[in-house]
Amino acid sequence: MDEIGKDNGIKCTCEQLIAVMKTRGAEGAAKVEKLFGDASTLAVDYLKSSTTEGLSGDADGIAERKRLFGVNVIPEPEAKSFLRLMWEAMQDLTLIILMFAAGISLILGLTIEIESNGWIEGVAILASVIVVVLVTAFNDYTKEKQFRGLKNRIKEEQKFSVIRGGTVQQINVAEIVVGDIAQVKYGDLLPADGIVIQSNDLKTDESSLTGESDLIKKGPNNIMLLSGTHVMEGSGKMVVTAVGINSQSGIIFTLMSGKRDMADQPHIDDDDEDDDLRIEDDTLSGNGEIDIEKPEKKKRLKEKSVLQGKLNKLAILIGKVGLCIAILSLVVLIVRFCIEIYAIKQLPWEASHSRRFLSFVIIAITVIVVAVPEGLPLAVTISLAYSVKKMMLDNNLVRHLDACETMGNATAICSDKTGTLTTNRMTVVSSYLGKKLYTHDPVVNDLSTDYIEILCEGIATNSSYTSKIMPPPPENPDQLPGQVGNKTECALLGFVKNFDRDYDDYRKKVTEEHFLKVYTFNSVRKSMSTVIPKGSGCRIYTKGASEIILKKCSSIVDSDGVVHDFSGNERGNLIKSVVEKMASNGLRTIGLAYKEIMNYNSVNWDDEDSIIDNLTCIGVVGIEDPVRPEVPSAIKQCQSAGIVVRMVTGDNVETAKSIALKCGIISEDDGFIVIEGKDFNKRIRDKNNKISLHRLSKLLPKIRVLARSSPEDKYTLVKGLIQSKSIQDVVAVTGDGTNDGPALKVADVGFAMGIAGTDVAKEASDIILTDDNFRSIVKAVMWGRNVYDSISKFLQFQLSVNVTAVVTAFVGSATIQASPLKAVQLLWVNLIMDTFASLALATELPSPDLLNRKPYGRHKALISRTMTKNIIGHCLYQLTVLFLIIFYGEVLFDIKEGRENETQHSITPTKHFTMVFNTFVQMQIFNEINARKIHGERNVLQGILKNPIFLIIFFGTVFVQVILVEVGGIAFHCLPLDLDLWLWCIFFGVGELVWGAVLSYIPSYKLPKSWRFGTKPVEYPISEPDSVHDNRARLLWLRGLSRLQAQIRVINAFRSSLNDRRSSTHVALGRRSTYGHIHTHNCVESTV
C-alpha cells in the first residue's frame, strides 16, 4: 500500500492521504496546501485525475488504484458456523437443566439400576435435546443466511455519482476508487473520504464525529468530507482520497474489530463502554404542550411495535404461571412420595429413591419447557422473515423487520404527493411568459430573443447540473426522454427545448466553477438562487414557489425584454388569475425571476434577504405531475380497510386540493379540511406560541391535506396523531427528502422513496419503496395484517397445547405421582408446537380479504374473545379426552391398566399411556388446522391446499408420530398400538375439527370483555440517535457508519430475536433497538 504508482504517475501514498484526512477545518486545509498545493493540484498532479473529466475509467487504471489505495469495501466478519450456532442454542437454561438431569439419570441407570435398563431414559432425553439443538441451529443458520442475502441486495443497490471519461455515471459505491471525482448533493450519505474541489452552499452534518449539531459549511477553509456524514444542503465536487478500511468509517471499524494495532489508535474511555447513545427529542410538557423548537435531552419512553409489546407481556406472564405450576408439581410429588414411603410405609432410604426424586425434577423441568412459550419469538422471526422475502417482490424493501407487522396495525398514512401519489414524470403544460398566459406550448415568435435568452439561461444554470434530460435509446426512439435528477428541474430543462435551445450549451458556457454564489433549495427558502458573472457585474437567477418569488419581485419583464414596474395590485391579479388558476387544475406553479448587480465585489453574500429581493419577474410555469392511475383504487382500499390517508405536500393549497380530489383522499363537501402549514401552526398554538396537544387533538381528525408544509409541520402532525390520547393512531409516513428524517423516525413505520429518496431519508426509514408507488404501501398493509394474523394463529395453537400439557402434567403428578406425558414425549410435543407449527402457521399467504376489516390499532386485544373461546374450548375437549383415557382407558378400550406402572415409575412402557401420548399428539395435529382461522370462520379448510408448507408439516408430523409410537420403544416410553387403538386416537384427533365447528357457533360478542387480553400497549425505554450533543466522539462516530448499518440492521434485528428467544422471556425485534443502543463491546456484531 506504500508503493507509489510509477507507471500511472501517481505521486502520493495511501498513508499520506490517510494522515491528511485525520485533520479537520483550517488545519486540514493548511496541511493540504503544504503537501499538495490545493485540492485541484492534488487531483490533477498527484492523483492523475481531472477535475472536469474525472478518471478515464479504463479497467487497468481502476485495478491499479485499487491495488495502491484499497477497495471501497469494509470486510464482513465470518458468518457463524453451524457448530457455533449449536453451541449458542445449547446455552438455553432449560436445556442445560435437562441435560444435567439426563446426565444424572444416565449415571444412575448405568450404576444403580443397570439391570433394569434405567439408563435408557437418560439417553432418550439427551437425544431429544440434541434434536432440539440441531433444529434450532438449523433455523438460525438458515435465517442468517437469508438476511445476509438481503443485506447483499441492499449493498448492490447503493449507487453514487462520479465523473469518468467526462460523463457523470452512477456506479456502485464499492467501485469508487481514490482519484475519482464524485458529485455530492443535498441528501447524500458520503461513501468515502474526500476533499472539496468545488462547493455550492455545501453543508454537512458531522454530529456523528464531533457531537456538534450545527451544520458544517464546506469551503476554502474547511475542505474535508468524511465517509458516513450526511450532505444536508448544497452541492459540489470532491476528489476521493480514502476508501474502504482506510476511510474514517473503515478505520473505526477496524479499530473496534481489533484488526488494527490498538496502539496506533485514539483511546476510547472504557468507562463509556456500556453507555447508550441518547437523543434529543421533543417531549410533552406537563400542561399538554409539545415543544418541538427547544428539545431537551432525556431518555423517553417509546412503544415497541404494537404486537411485540403485547407478546412480550404475555410471554412473561405465561412463563411465570408455568414456573409456579412446575414448582407446585414438584412440591406435590415430593411431599406425596415422602409421606407415602417414609411416613405411612416407614421404609428406609434406598439408593433407588434418588431416581424417583430425579424423575420429579425432570417432570417439573419439562412442565416449564412446555409452559414457557419459546416458540413465540421463533414464530415471529419465521413469519417476519418469510414476509420480508415476499414483500421484496411487492417493491417493499424492509430494513426493520418489525415494521412488517406494525403496518398491519396502521390506522393512518401520511403520504407525500410527488412520486408517491403522482407519477413523478413532470412536464410544463402551462406558462405565463412575457406578461401573457399560455395554456399550451408558448408561441416562440411572440417572445423576443433577449427574453428567451434570459429565460433559458436562468433555467439551465439555476439548477443542479446533475439534473439532465436523457435521449431515448436508439433501439426505442419512441420512448419518452429519461429524466435524471430532480424531476421539477427536468421539467424546466425539457421546457427549454421548446425554444430550440439546448440547456447543455448554457452549462458549458457557465460551468459550476464559475458560480459566484449558490443559495440552494431548502424547506425554509422554498427557492433556489444562482449567481453567475456578467462582465464586471453579475446576474442572479431565482426559481421557487410562485407566490414566494412574486412577493420578492418589484418589476416584470415583457415579451420584448423590456422591464416594467410590478405593483402590488398587479401582483395580486397575477396570483389570482394565473397562479390560482393553474393550481386549481392540479399544476405545481414555479416562479422565475432574475436580478442584475453591477459590481459583485461590493456585495455581502451572507445578507441573503437583501440580495434575493427587488427581483424582476420572468414568468410563471405550471408543471403537471399526473396522478398514478392505480392510486385512487389503492386509496379506496385503504379507506375500506379503516385507514385514514392524509396528504402532506409542499405545494400550495389549490394544487394540493385538486390532487387530493383526483386521488379520492377528499371529496366535495365531505367536511374534511385542506389546510396550509401557516394556518395549521396558528390553530394549534396557544397564546405563548407553544403547541397545545389539546388544540392539536381537536384539529387532527378533520385534516386530510396539509399544504405548503415544512418538515416541522409534518413532524408535528405525525407526533400529534401518535401521542394524542383521543386518537393514538398507528402512523405510517412516506418521505423522500433529508428533512423528512425526523417525521420518518417518529412514525411507527417510515417509508422512504427508493427512486427519488435521499440517503438520509432511506437511513431514517423502516421500509424502502423501490417503485415509489402508493400501491406498494397498500401491499405492505396486507402483508402486515397477514403477519399479525399468522402470529395470532400460532399463539392460539400454542396456548391450547400449553394449557393442556401443563394441566395434564400437574393433575397426573397429584393423582398418580407421575406425569402422564414423559419428559422425552413433551420435548417432541414442544418441537411440534415450536418449530413445525411456526413454519406451518406463519407461512400463510395473504388474501385481499384482509383489507376488508378495520385495523387492530394500539388497543385491540392481543387475544380476542374469539381466540379465548377457542383456547378454552379446545383445552376442555382435550383434557376431557385425556382424563377419560388416563382414568378409564382400561374399561373403555379393553387394555391393561397402566396407572400402577406409572406410579412405580417403571421404565417399561404400556399401551395405556402410549395411547394417552398418541391421542394428545393427534389432537394437537388436527387442532393445528383449527388454528388456521382466528376470526370465527367456520370453514377451517379454506385455502389449505394453497399452503404446501402446512401440508408437508402436517403429514410429516403424522409420519414421525407413527414411527415414534411403533418403534420408539423404551426411549419414547411407547409400545406399538393395535389398529383399533390407532383408529380411536385418530378419531379423537378428528373430533377436534368437529368440536371446532361447534365452537364457531357460539357468538363471541356475548362473551364477557374480560376474556380479552393485551388491550393496552406496553412502553419500553429506548433511545434513538437523532440530534446528539455528546463528546464521546468515537462512539458517536458509529452513527456515521450509516451505509454499513443500513445493510445489516435487518441481521441485527434477527439476532436480537435469537438472543431473546434463548432468554425465553422476551419477544424479539424491538423497533430500532439495534439502531438506538450501540455498545463498544458489540461493535463488531453491529457494524459488520
Side-chain angles (χ1 to χ4, degrees), residues 1004-1030:
S1004 299
Y1005 67 88
K1006 290 188 177 181
L1007 299 174
K1009 291 185 178 180
S1010 58
W1011 281 33
R1012 298 180 302 174
F1013 177 86
T1015 57
K1016 293 182 180 179
V1018 186
E1019 290 191 335
Y1020 298 87
I1022 68 170
S1023 57
E1024 299 175 55
D1026 187 5
S1027 174
V1028 184
H1029 291 286
D1030 198 313

PDB file of all heavy atoms in Angstrom, residues 1004-1030:
ATOM      1  N   SER A1004     -69.185 -14.781  19.828  1.00  0.00           N
ATOM      2  CA  SER A1004     -68.120 -14.226  20.674  1.00  0.00           C
ATOM      3  C   SER A1004     -68.550 -12.934  21.349  1.00  0.00           C
ATOM      4  O   SER A1004     -68.102 -12.635  22.465  1.00  0.00           O
ATOM      5  CB  SER A1004     -66.865 -13.972  19.822  1.00  0.00           C
ATOM      6  OG  SER A1004     -66.395 -15.171  19.256  1.00  0.00           O
ATOM      7  N   TYR A1005     -69.418 -12.169  20.701  1.00  0.00           N
ATOM      8  CA  TYR A1005     -69.784 -10.863  21.259  1.00  0.00           C
ATOM      9  C   TYR A1005     -70.571 -10.984  22.560  1.00  0.00           C
ATOM     10  O   TYR A1005     -70.694 -10.021  23.319  1.00  0.00           O
ATOM     11  CB  TYR A1005     -70.558 -10.035  20.227  1.00  0.00           C
ATOM     12  CG  TYR A1005     -71.927 -10.586  19.883  1.00  0.00           C
ATOM     13  CD1 TYR A1005     -73.056 -10.228  20.626  1.00  0.00           C
ATOM     14  CD2 TYR A1005     -72.098 -11.449  18.811  1.00  0.00           C
ATOM     15  CE1 TYR A1005     -74.309 -10.728  20.301  1.00  0.00           C
ATOM     16  CE2 TYR A1005     -73.347 -11.959  18.486  1.00  0.00           C
ATOM     17  CZ  TYR A1005     -74.449 -11.593  19.225  1.00  0.00           C
ATOM     18  OH  TYR A1005     -75.688 -12.084  18.912  1.00  0.00           O
ATOM     19  N   LYS A1006     -71.125 -12.177  22.826  1.00  0.00           N
ATOM     20  CA  LYS A1006     -71.873 -12.378  24.066  1.00  0.00           C
ATOM     21  C   LYS A1006     -70.971 -12.785  25.229  1.00  0.00           C
ATOM     22  O   LYS A1006     -71.416 -12.857  26.369  1.00  0.00           O
ATOM     23  CB  LYS A1006     -72.961 -13.431  23.858  1.00  0.00           C
ATOM     24  CG  LYS A1006     -74.097 -12.963  22.955  1.00  0.00           C
ATOM     25  CD  LYS A1006     -75.244 -13.967  22.941  1.00  0.00           C
ATOM     26  CE  LYS A1006     -76.412 -13.438  22.089  1.00  0.00           C
ATOM     27  NZ  LYS A1006     -77.557 -14.384  22.071  1.00  0.00           N
ATOM     28  N   LEU A1007     -69.727 -13.055  24.920  1.00  0.00           N
ATOM     29  CA  LEU A1007     -68.783 -13.421  25.972  1.00  0.00           C
ATOM     30  C   LEU A1007     -68.324 -12.168  26.709  1.00  0.00           C
ATOM     31  O   LEU A1007     -68.289 -11.073  26.140  1.00  0.00           O
ATOM     32  CB  LEU A1007     -67.580 -14.150  25.371  1.00  0.00           C
ATOM     33  CG  LEU A1007     -67.903 -15.455  24.635  1.00  0.00           C
ATOM     34  CD1 LEU A1007     -66.647 -16.003  23.973  1.00  0.00           C
ATOM     35  CD2 LEU A1007     -68.495 -16.482  25.581  1.00  0.00           C
ATOM     36  N   PRO A1008     -67.951 -12.283  27.973  1.00  0.00           N
ATOM     37  CA  PRO A1008     -67.522 -11.091  28.728  1.00  0.00           C
ATOM     38  C   PRO A1008     -66.251 -10.478  28.153  1.00  0.00           C
ATOM     39  O   PRO A1008     -65.385 -11.197  27.637  1.00  0.00           O
ATOM     40  CB  PRO A1008     -67.286 -11.638  30.145  1.00  0.00           C
ATOM     41  CG  PRO A1008     -67.108 -13.109  29.979  1.00  0.00           C
ATOM     42  CD  PRO A1008     -67.935 -13.505  28.794  1.00  0.00           C
ATOM     43  N   LYS A1009     -66.136  -9.147  28.262  1.00  0.00           N
ATOM     44  CA  LYS A1009     -64.962  -8.452  27.739  1.00  0.00           C
ATOM     45  C   LYS A1009     -63.694  -8.820  28.501  1.00  0.00           C
ATOM     46  O   LYS A1009     -62.585  -8.608  28.005  1.00  0.00           O
ATOM     47  CB  LYS A1009     -65.188  -6.944  27.787  1.00  0.00           C
ATOM     48  CG  LYS A1009     -66.246  -6.454  26.807  1.00  0.00           C
ATOM     49  CD  LYS A1009     -66.336  -4.933  26.804  1.00  0.00           C
ATOM     50  CE  LYS A1009     -67.361  -4.456  25.775  1.00  0.00           C
ATOM     51  NZ  LYS A1009     -67.481  -2.980  25.747  1.00  0.00           N
ATOM     52  N   SER A1010     -63.870  -9.359  29.704  1.00  0.00           N
ATOM     53  CA  SER A1010     -62.697  -9.764  30.485  1.00  0.00           C
ATOM     54  C   SER A1010     -61.969 -10.944  29.852  1.00  0.00           C
ATOM     55  O   SER A1010     -60.868 -11.296  30.251  1.00  0.00           O
ATOM     56  CB  SER A1010     -63.119 -10.139  31.910  1.00  0.00           C
ATOM     57  OG  SER A1010     -64.080 -11.193  31.885  1.00  0.00           O
ATOM     58  N   TRP A1011     -62.582 -11.548  28.840  1.00  0.00           N
ATOM     59  CA  TRP A1011     -61.938 -12.658  28.133  1.00  0.00           C
ATOM     60  C   TRP A1011     -60.911 -12.154  27.110  1.00  0.00           C
ATOM     61  O   TRP A1011     -60.322 -12.954  26.413  1.00  0.00           O
ATOM     62  CB  TRP A1011     -63.000 -13.529  27.447  1.00  0.00           C
ATOM     63  CG  TRP A1011     -63.689 -14.453  28.388  1.00  0.00           C
ATOM     64  CD1 TRP A1011     -63.965 -14.225  29.710  1.00  0.00           C
ATOM     65  CD2 TRP A1011     -64.199 -15.756  28.094  1.00  0.00           C
ATOM     66  NE1 TRP A1011     -64.622 -15.282  30.261  1.00  0.00           N
ATOM     67  CE2 TRP A1011     -64.778 -16.261  29.293  1.00  0.00           C
ATOM     68  CE3 TRP A1011     -64.238 -16.545  26.958  1.00  0.00           C
ATOM     69  CZ2 TRP A1011     -65.372 -17.507  29.367  1.00  0.00           C
ATOM     70  CZ3 TRP A1011     -64.838 -17.794  27.030  1.00  0.00           C
ATOM     71  CH2 TRP A1011     -65.397 -18.278  28.224  1.00  0.00           C
ATOM     72  N   ARG A1012     -60.757 -10.871  27.028  1.00  0.00           N
ATOM     73  CA  ARG A1012     -59.735 -10.320  26.125  1.00  0.00           C
ATOM     74  C   ARG A1012     -58.449 -10.081  26.908  1.00  0.00           C
ATOM     75  O   ARG A1012     -58.484  -9.763  28.087  1.00  0.00           O
ATOM     76  CB  ARG A1012     -60.207  -9.006  25.502  1.00  0.00           C
ATOM     77  CG  ARG A1012     -61.456  -9.142  24.647  1.00  0.00           C
ATOM     78  CD  ARG A1012     -61.867  -7.815  24.059  1.00  0.00           C
ATOM     79  NE  ARG A1012     -62.112  -6.823  25.101  1.00  0.00           N
ATOM     80  CZ  ARG A1012     -62.373  -5.546  24.862  1.00  0.00           C
ATOM     81  NH1 ARG A1012     -62.413  -5.104  23.617  1.00  0.00           N
ATOM     82  NH2 ARG A1012     -62.593  -4.700  25.847  1.00  0.00           N
ATOM     83  N   PHE A1013     -57.333 -10.211  26.211  1.00  0.00           N
ATOM     84  CA  PHE A1013     -56.043  -9.967  26.859  1.00  0.00           C
ATOM     85  C   PHE A1013     -55.177  -9.105  25.940  1.00  0.00           C
ATOM     86  O   PHE A1013     -55.148  -9.290  24.739  1.00  0.00           O
ATOM     87  CB  PHE A1013     -55.298 -11.274  27.144  1.00  0.00           C
ATOM     88  CG  PHE A1013     -53.933 -11.065  27.751  1.00  0.00           C
ATOM     89  CD1 PHE A1013     -53.788 -10.919  29.118  1.00  0.00           C
ATOM     90  CD2 PHE A1013     -52.802 -10.978  26.952  1.00  0.00           C
ATOM     91  CE1 PHE A1013     -52.543 -10.706  29.681  1.00  0.00           C
ATOM     92  CE2 PHE A1013     -51.558 -10.752  27.508  1.00  0.00           C
ATOM     93  CZ  PHE A1013     -51.431 -10.626  28.878  1.00  0.00           C
ATOM     94  N   GLY A1014     -54.454  -8.175  26.565  1.00  0.00           N
ATOM     95  CA  GLY A1014     -53.489  -7.376  25.810  1.00  0.00           C
ATOM     96  C   GLY A1014     -54.104  -6.214  25.081  1.00  0.00           C
ATOM     97  O   GLY A1014     -53.826  -5.993  23.904  1.00  0.00           O
ATOM     98  N   THR A1015     -54.954  -5.437  25.772  1.00  0.00           N
ATOM     99  CA  THR A1015     -55.572  -4.275  25.119  1.00  0.00           C
ATOM    100  C   THR A1015     -54.727  -3.026  25.267  1.00  0.00           C
ATOM    101  O   THR A1015     -54.904  -2.075  24.524  1.00  0.00           O
ATOM    102  CB  THR A1015     -56.966  -4.007  25.709  1.00  0.00           C
ATOM    103  OG1 THR A1015     -56.838  -3.812  27.134  1.00  0.00           O
ATOM    104  CG2 THR A1015     -57.893  -5.171  25.441  1.00  0.00           C
ATOM    105  N   LYS A1016     -53.821  -3.033  26.229  1.00  0.00           N
ATOM    106  CA  LYS A1016     -53.016  -1.839  26.473  1.00  0.00           C
ATOM    107  C   LYS A1016     -51.633  -2.007  25.864  1.00  0.00           C
ATOM    108  O   LYS A1016     -50.976  -3.016  26.068  1.00  0.00           O
ATOM    109  CB  LYS A1016     -52.879  -1.571  27.974  1.00  0.00           C
ATOM    110  CG  LYS A1016     -54.196  -1.183  28.638  1.00  0.00           C
ATOM    111  CD  LYS A1016     -53.975  -0.881  30.109  1.00  0.00           C
ATOM    112  CE  LYS A1016     -55.297  -0.483  30.780  1.00  0.00           C
ATOM    113  NZ  LYS A1016     -55.108  -0.197  32.214  1.00  0.00           N
ATOM    114  N   PRO A1017     -51.176  -0.985  25.117  1.00  0.00           N
ATOM    115  CA  PRO A1017     -49.812  -1.063  24.586  1.00  0.00           C
ATOM    116  C   PRO A1017     -48.797  -0.955  25.713  1.00  0.00           C
ATOM    117  O   PRO A1017     -49.039  -0.316  26.726  1.00  0.00           O
ATOM    118  CB  PRO A1017     -49.730   0.147  23.637  1.00  0.00           C
ATOM    119  CG  PRO A1017     -50.755   1.098  24.151  1.00  0.00           C
ATOM    120  CD  PRO A1017     -51.862   0.262  24.740  1.00  0.00           C
ATOM    121  N   VAL A1018     -47.672  -1.625  25.529  1.00  0.00           N
ATOM    122  CA  VAL A1018     -46.623  -1.624  26.540  1.00  0.00           C
ATOM    123  C   VAL A1018     -45.523  -0.680  26.095  1.00  0.00           C
ATOM    124  O   VAL A1018     -45.143  -0.650  24.932  1.00  0.00           O
ATOM    125  CB  VAL A1018     -46.053  -3.051  26.712  1.00  0.00           C
ATOM    126  CG1 VAL A1018     -45.073  -3.099  27.863  1.00  0.00           C
ATOM    127  CG2 VAL A1018     -47.193  -4.033  26.947  1.00  0.00           C
ATOM    128  N   GLU A1019     -45.007   0.107  27.016  1.00  0.00           N
ATOM    129  CA  GLU A1019     -43.946   1.047  26.681  1.00  0.00           C
ATOM    130  C   GLU A1019     -42.630   0.564  27.264  1.00  0.00           C
ATOM    131  O   GLU A1019     -42.579   0.000  28.357  1.00  0.00           O
ATOM    132  CB  GLU A1019     -44.278   2.445  27.202  1.00  0.00           C
ATOM    133  CG  GLU A1019     -45.433   3.101  26.450  1.00  0.00           C
ATOM    134  CD  GLU A1019     -45.568   4.563  26.794  1.00  0.00           C
ATOM    135  OE1 GLU A1019     -45.127   4.936  27.894  1.00  0.00           O
ATOM    136  OE2 GLU A1019     -46.092   5.322  25.975  1.00  0.00           O
ATOM    137  N   TYR A1020     -41.573   0.806  26.499  1.00  0.00           N
ATOM    138  CA  TYR A1020     -40.232   0.401  26.923  1.00  0.00           C
ATOM    139  C   TYR A1020     -39.290   1.569  26.696  1.00  0.00           C
ATOM    140  O   TYR A1020     -39.391   2.274  25.700  1.00  0.00           O
ATOM    141  CB  TYR A1020     -39.738  -0.800  26.114  1.00  0.00           C
ATOM    142  CG  TYR A1020     -40.591  -2.018  26.301  1.00  0.00           C
ATOM    143  CD1 TYR A1020     -41.711  -2.227  25.504  1.00  0.00           C
ATOM    144  CD2 TYR A1020     -40.286  -2.936  27.285  1.00  0.00           C
ATOM    145  CE1 TYR A1020     -42.503  -3.334  25.683  1.00  0.00           C
ATOM    146  CE2 TYR A1020     -41.064  -4.048  27.468  1.00  0.00           C
ATOM    147  CZ  TYR A1020     -42.165  -4.246  26.666  1.00  0.00           C
ATOM    148  OH  TYR A1020     -42.946  -5.341  26.846  1.00  0.00           O
ATOM    149  N   PRO A1021     -38.358   1.787  27.597  1.00  0.00           N
ATOM    150  CA  PRO A1021     -37.404   2.868  27.387  1.00  0.00           C
ATOM    151  C   PRO A1021     -36.389   2.479  26.326  1.00  0.00           C
ATOM    152  O   PRO A1021     -35.716   1.471  26.452  1.00  0.00           O
ATOM    153  CB  PRO A1021     -36.727   3.019  28.756  1.00  0.00           C
ATOM    154  CG  PRO A1021     -36.881   1.677  29.389  1.00  0.00           C
ATOM    155  CD  PRO A1021     -38.162   1.091  28.859  1.00  0.00           C
ATOM    156  N   ILE A1022     -36.333   3.240  25.267  1.00  0.00           N
ATOM    157  CA  ILE A1022     -35.294   3.035  24.271  1.00  0.00           C
ATOM    158  C   ILE A1022     -34.731   4.390  23.896  1.00  0.00           C
ATOM    159  O   ILE A1022     -35.322   5.423  24.190  1.00  0.00           O
ATOM    160  CB  ILE A1022     -35.806   2.324  23.005  1.00  0.00           C
ATOM    161  CG1 ILE A1022     -36.767   3.232  22.242  1.00  0.00           C
ATOM    162  CG2 ILE A1022     -36.440   1.013  23.323  1.00  0.00           C
ATOM    163  CD1 ILE A1022     -37.114   2.714  20.883  1.00  0.00           C
ATOM    164  N   SER A1023     -33.602   4.414  23.268  1.00  0.00           N
ATOM    165  CA  SER A1023     -33.035   5.680  22.813  1.00  0.00           C
ATOM    166  C   SER A1023     -32.746   5.584  21.344  1.00  0.00           C
ATOM    167  O   SER A1023     -32.343   4.557  20.845  1.00  0.00           O
ATOM    168  CB  SER A1023     -31.744   5.996  23.577  1.00  0.00           C
ATOM    169  OG  SER A1023     -30.817   4.967  23.423  1.00  0.00           O
ATOM    170  N   GLU A1024     -32.994   6.684  20.653  1.00  0.00           N
ATOM    171  CA  GLU A1024     -32.760   6.725  19.217  1.00  0.00           C
ATOM    172  C   GLU A1024     -31.770   7.840  18.914  1.00  0.00           C
ATOM    173  O   GLU A1024     -31.975   8.973  19.346  1.00  0.00           O
ATOM    174  CB  GLU A1024     -34.050   7.018  18.457  1.00  0.00           C
ATOM    175  CG  GLU A1024     -35.126   5.994  18.642  1.00  0.00           C
ATOM    176  CD  GLU A1024     -36.388   6.457  17.953  1.00  0.00           C
ATOM    177  OE1 GLU A1024     -36.317   6.741  16.749  1.00  0.00           O
ATOM    178  OE2 GLU A1024     -37.415   6.552  18.611  1.00  0.00           O
ATOM    179  N   PRO A1025     -30.711   7.587  18.184  1.00  0.00           N
ATOM    180  CA  PRO A1025     -29.802   8.661  17.826  1.00  0.00           C
ATOM    181  C   PRO A1025     -30.455   9.604  16.862  1.00  0.00           C
ATOM    182  O   PRO A1025     -30.993   9.209  15.871  1.00  0.00           O
ATOM    183  CB  PRO A1025     -28.618   7.930  17.171  1.00  0.00           C
ATOM    184  CG  PRO A1025     -29.188   6.640  16.712  1.00  0.00           C
ATOM    185  CD  PRO A1025     -30.306   6.305  17.641  1.00  0.00           C
ATOM    186  N   ASP A1026     -30.433  10.868  17.211  1.00  0.00           N
ATOM    187  CA  ASP A1026     -31.050  11.846  16.312  1.00  0.00           C
ATOM    188  C   ASP A1026     -30.144  13.048  16.246  1.00  0.00           C
ATOM    189  O   ASP A1026     -29.247  13.141  15.443  1.00  0.00           O
ATOM    190  CB  ASP A1026     -32.448  12.198  16.833  1.00  0.00           C
ATOM    191  CG  ASP A1026     -33.204  13.079  15.868  1.00  0.00           C
ATOM    192  OD1 ASP A1026     -32.686  13.325  14.773  1.00  0.00           O
ATOM    193  OD2 ASP A1026     -34.278  13.523  16.223  1.00  0.00           O
ATOM    194  N   SER A1027     -30.351  13.991  17.113  1.00  0.00           N
ATOM    195  CA  SER A1027     -29.527  15.186  17.151  1.00  0.00           C
ATOM    196  C   SER A1027     -28.776  15.163  18.468  1.00  0.00           C
ATOM    197  O   SER A1027     -29.303  15.531  19.507  1.00  0.00           O
ATOM    198  CB  SER A1027     -30.418  16.415  17.028  1.00  0.00           C
ATOM    199  OG  SER A1027     -29.681  17.574  17.194  1.00  0.00           O
ATOM    200  N   VAL A1028     -27.560  14.691  18.473  1.00  0.00           N
ATOM    201  CA  VAL A1028     -26.879  14.347  19.708  1.00  0.00           C
ATOM    202  C   VAL A1028     -25.826  15.379  20.064  1.00  0.00           C
ATOM    203  O   VAL A1028     -25.017  15.763  19.246  1.00  0.00           O
ATOM    204  CB  VAL A1028     -26.209  12.954  19.564  1.00  0.00           C
ATOM    205  CG1 VAL A1028     -25.575  12.544  20.865  1.00  0.00           C
ATOM    206  CG2 VAL A1028     -27.218  11.936  19.118  1.00  0.00           C
ATOM    207  N   HIS A1029     -25.844  15.845  21.335  1.00  0.00           N
ATOM    208  CA  HIS A1029     -24.778  16.693  21.864  1.00  0.00           C
ATOM    209  C   HIS A1029     -23.973  15.843  22.825  1.00  0.00           C
ATOM    210  O   HIS A1029     -24.305  15.724  23.992  1.00  0.00           O
ATOM    211  CB  HIS A1029     -25.365  17.890  22.606  1.00  0.00           C
ATOM    212  CG  HIS A1029     -26.037  18.866  21.707  1.00  0.00           C
ATOM    213  ND1 HIS A1029     -25.356  19.719  20.880  1.00  0.00           N
ATOM    214  CD2 HIS A1029     -27.352  19.097  21.475  1.00  0.00           C
ATOM    215  CE1 HIS A1029     -26.208  20.476  20.202  1.00  0.00           C
ATOM    216  NE2 HIS A1029     -27.425  20.109  20.540  1.00  0.00           N
ATOM    217  N   ASP A1030     -22.928  15.225  22.363  1.00  0.00           N
ATOM    218  CA  ASP A1030     -22.161  14.311  23.200  1.00  0.00           C
ATOM    219  C   ASP A1030     -20.744  14.299  22.673  1.00  0.00           C
ATOM    220  O   ASP A1030     -20.525  14.241  21.481  1.00  0.00           O
ATOM    221  CB  ASP A1030     -22.762  12.906  23.141  1.00  0.00           C
ATOM    222  CG  ASP A1030     -22.283  12.057  24.294  1.00  0.00           C
ATOM    223  OD1 ASP A1030     -21.072  12.054  24.541  1.00  0.00           O
ATOM    224  OD2 ASP A1030     -23.127  11.392  24.917  1.00  0.00           O
TER     225      ASP A1030
END
